[in-house]
Each structure stands twice: as structure tokens, then as C-alpha cells.
Amino acid sequence: MAVDNTIETEGKITSVLAGTMFRVELGNKHSVLAHISGKMRKRFIRLTNGDRVKLEMSPYDLSKARIVYRLG
């Protein structure tokens, strides 16, 4: 599956939801539902409220995203 057409952006975690899902606020004040990528889940990276994260979004559904990196 091609991953060429993803949108990369940064955001801040506003709430932690069940099942490794997170509510993330983007820089333009939009809120998206995000889940952890497989490599972060494999390495047991912990995320809490207020963490800055790097996201990948599909251009087809801008309300959902994948967290790929924790910035701090």
C-alpha cells in the first residue's frame, strides 16, 4: 500500500481515550481522533496530556490521524 500521499503535521494531545486513542488539537485549532502507530506501540512509548506529537493524516479523511512520533 502506498504511503506517498500522507499529510504530516504536529499537534498537542488534549485527552487520552480508551484503547490507545487520543484527541489531538492541531496548530489551526482543529481537533482530530488519533491512534498510535505500530512501532510506537511495539516500543511501549507512553503518551500523556500536553505531549506534542507528529501526526500522519490521509487526505481522504481529515478527522482521523496516526501518531508517529512524540516530540515531548
Side-chain angles (χ1 to χ4, degrees):
M1 189 166 144
V3 191
D4 302 340
N5 53 357
T6 59
I7 301 168
E8 288 193 7
T9 184
E10 293 182 10
K12 183 177 177 183
I13 295 178
T14 56
S15 63
V16 179
L17 306 172
T20 65
M21 300 291 280
F22 299 91
R23 182 72 56 190
V24 179
E25 183 177 323
L26 304 178
N28 57 3
K29 303 298 182 196
H30 283 90
S31 182
V32 296
L33 185 65
H35 63 89
I36 301 178
S37 70
K39 292 217 181 221
M40 289 185 69
R41 195 177 290 205
K42 182 179 174 184
R43 299 287 182 188
F44 298 107
I45 305 296
R46 301 290 180 206
L47 298 172
T48 59
N49 288 341
D51 283 347
R52 289 181 46 237
V53 291
K54 186 187 293 185
L55 303 167
E56 284 184 353
M57 301 173 67
S58 169
Y60 302 108
D61 187 6
L62 298 175
S63 65
K64 295 182 179 142
R66 177 185 309 116
I67 299 173
V68 293
Y69 193 78
R70 188 180 112 213
L71 299 171

